[in-house]
Amino acid sequence: MKRYIVLTFISCALSLKAEPKKLIVDVSVEGQTIRVKVDDSFKKKYLTDDFFVTYDEDIDLSRFDYSILTMPFLTNVFSIVLISGESYSVDEIDSELYDSFLRIEKVFRTMYPKTSFTGKLVPLKIVNHSLPFKKDAYKTALLFSGGVDSISSSLGNQDKKQLLITAWGHWDIPLSQKSFW
């Protein structure tokens, strides 16, 4: 009888396990800006507001689907999801990005063995995108902050035409500090 009660309790506990919370409530494109409305509990705990990113006029955001539009947000919060201890779902994710996240998680676990990475990002759908351009050995794109690492990367690619990409509005250069920018 005791065995039956214990098994019933375990079975009930497993069936009551919560489904992953939906991380992204809504994604919208307004001109050159992508806006991501974030789950309120995640936002309250880890963010100061919903996420947005604005691109130059030559980027036609209407051509991109959900899995591409959400990439900037997901790459910014993935490490937070891992340490949150919670499971969060996303409607869909690009397969290469998801594979990268799995590799990054392994690196984090190696670098920080005492940290508990119990949070999970659960894609409801994984999609494949083919690249609309040919790889060019004479061109490269670099994330460029102007710091020592970015200058070193740029100098190491002097033989290539470089597209330097920078972000305004991170913790070190808030959006409100236009003169600093």
Side-chain angles (χ1 to χ4, degrees):
M1 182 69 169
K2 287 182 183 178
R3 221 182 250 171
Y4 177 75
I5 293 171
V6 170
L7 288 175
T8 302
F9 174 75
I10 292 171
S11 175
C12 289
L14 290 174
S15 66
L16 292 176
K17 187 176 178 183
E19 290 291 318
K21 298 175 186 173
K22 191 170 183 172
L23 181 61
I24 298 172
V25 176
D26 186 52
V27 177
S28 63
V29 174
E30 301 164 12
Q32 298 310 118
T33 300
I34 301 169
R35 296 194 182 280
V36 178
K37 183 164 175 32
V38 184
D39 169 74
D40 283 336
S41 64
F42 185 88
K43 182 171 51 176
K44 183 177 180 182
K45 240 178 171 176
Y46 304 109
L47 305 174
T48 57
D49 207 343
D50 287 321
F51 178 87
F52 76 94
V53 60
T54 302
Y55 293 93
D56 289 336
E57 297 79 32
D58 62 339
I59 307 292
D60 181 6
L61 295 175
S62 68
R63 296 177 45 212
F64 300 111
D65 70 7
Y66 178 94
S67 65
I68 301 295
L69 293 173
T70 58
M71 279 182 173
F73 170 71
L74 293 175
T75 55
N76 273 276
V77 300
F78 178 68
S79 58
I80 297 169
V81 168
L82 287 180
I83 62 170
S84 72
E86 301 282 339
S87 291
Y88 291 96
S89 70
V90 290
D91 289 341
E92 66 181 49
I93 192 169
D94 176 74
S95 61
E96 287 189 40
L97 180 62
Y98 187 65
D99 290 344
S100 295
F101 282 165
L102 296 176
R103 289 192 303 272
I104 289 168
E105 182 177 354
K106 286 180 186 175
V107 171
F108 283 164
R109 288 180 186 281
T110 301
M111 288 177 64
Y112 307 104
K114 294 180 181 179
T115 302
S116 175
F117 295 103
T118 56
K120 297 288 178 209
L121 184 65
V122 181
L124 301 180
K125 181 180 178 184
I126 298 175
V127 296
N128 290 311
H129 293 285
S130 60
L131 298 175
F133 57 87
K134 293 180 184 176
K135 186 174 181 179
D136 187 336
Y138 300 103
K139 295 179 182 177
T140 190
L142 297 170
L143 296 176
F144 191 84
S145 66
V148 174
D149 291 342
S150 5
I151 290 171
S152 176
S153 294
S154 180
L155 291 173
N157 287 282
Q158 290 182 69
D159 58 328
K160 299 178 176 123
K161 183 174 180 173
Q162 298 177 27
L163 171 63
L164 303 180
I165 304 167
T166 190
W168 175 22
H170 202 267
W171 62 271
D172 59 343
I173 307 177
L175 290 173
S176 61
Q177 294 184 352
K178 290 182 182 179
S179 60
F180 184 73
W181 175 253

